[in-house]
Amino acid sequence: HKEGGGVYRSLWHFIRSAAASDGAEFCVLLDGRALPREPTWVEQLMQYAVRPGVGLVGAKISDRFGRCWHAGYTQMGRRVSHNGFKAGRFERGYGMRLVAAHNVSAVSSMGLAVSRGRLLGEALGRLPLCSRLGLEVALAFEVREQGQRVVINPHVDLLWEGKPLRRVQDLSDHPEDLAQLEKVWGVSDFVDPYYPCGLDGEAMNFRMKP
């Protein structure tokens, strides 16, 4: 994918078209710049995607040195942070989050599995968003609104060959998306339920408040 609103708007319509067509029960998204390290990566995603109560499963993203770029998202209002950002290959992360599957607020669309039915939600049908971040946040909100959980499975490790990612992103950089997400879900008031309340909620780095 190239950066640009038109590309991601097209991606959104592609996702909706895939969801509306007859076929498989699940959809798997994989960015062309994210290469699976193991041949069983789809099976690893699906072992959680098929479980009752799980609506969306994402993969860990890392570079060629094994350094983590993404292991789920933490979201505080309009700001979204990649968990495990730049953690080393052998680091386990806060509370074993880099080695154990767990609930998160959102996951990257660079590698995920989702039930086809989750993509047919009423809200998603009227939100042709322009940015990747807008897509990811909206999908996670829709899944949770349907009473399902969003899970990151760090055992699915994708090699990222694109540009380095930014740890913290802000929906304010995408005003059109933000306006839609505010109207439907009131994202500015969202407080991540999976981020420990005793840690620094401003930095979202799983460290104690200064």
Side-chain angles (χ1 to χ4, degrees):
H1 308 301
K2 296 179 180 178
E3 297 297 330
V7 174
Y8 289 118
R9 190 182 293 275
S10 298
L11 174 60
W12 191 250
H13 287 301
F14 171 79
I15 292 172
R16 291 290 303 165
S17 297
S21 64
D22 293 331
E25 183 179 351
F26 293 87
C27 292
V28 175
L29 300 183
L30 180 67
D31 192 294
R33 298 164 295 182
L35 305 179
R37 296 181 188 271
E38 300 292 339
T40 59
W41 68 278
V42 174
E43 289 86 347
Q44 292 278 0
L45 285 176
M46 293 305 302
Q47 70 168 307
Y48 286 94
V50 299
R51 297 186 183 187
V54 176
L56 178 62
V57 183
K60 177 183 175 183
I61 311 292
S62 61
D63 64 16
R64 61 192 181 95
F65 303 108
R67 183 175 56 177
C68 179
W69 285 109
H70 172 87
Y73 281 124
T74 289
Q75 182 179 352
M76 295 293 185
R78 302 177 181 187
R79 300 173 68 244
V80 181
S81 174
H82 292 285
N83 296 341
F85 191 75
K86 291 189 176 181
R89 181 194 300 270
F90 301 109
E91 291 187 47
R92 296 177 176 272
Y94 181 89
M96 307 292 284
R97 280 171 166 78
L98 297 181
V99 294
H102 58 281
N103 298 334
V104 291
S105 284
V107 292
S108 172
S109 60
M110 291 183 282
L112 60 79
V114 60
S115 169
R116 191 169 67 91
R118 307 298 171 213
L119 296 174
L120 297 174
E122 180 180 351
L124 290 187
R126 59 179 188 268
L127 291 179
L129 299 160
C130 297
S131 69
R132 178 191 288 276
L133 183 62
L135 292 172
E136 294 163 342
V137 169
L139 181 55
F141 267 95
E142 179 68 20
V143 165
R144 291 195 305 273
E145 192 168 85
Q146 295 177 34
Q148 303 294 302
R149 291 176 290 137
V150 180
V151 172
I152 182 74
N153 182 3
H155 299 294
V156 182
D157 192 0
L158 304 178
L159 169 61
W160 180 242
E161 293 194 326
K163 295 180 180 179
L165 307 178
R166 287 187 297 149
R167 186 178 71 84
V168 179
Q169 303 172 78
D170 197 321
L171 286 165
S172 298
D173 294 335
H174 311 284
E176 183 179 341
D177 286 2
L178 177 59
Q180 296 186 71
L181 294 169
E182 284 282 18
K183 182 178 180 180
V184 178
W185 289 297
V187 294
S188 291
D189 297 325
F190 182 74
V191 176
D192 197 312
Y194 305 111
Y195 188 81
C197 59
L199 302 183
D200 191 336
E202 178 67 22
M204 295 183 288
N205 56 4
F206 289 91
R207 296 177 182 174
M208 297 297 294
K209 297 178 182 179

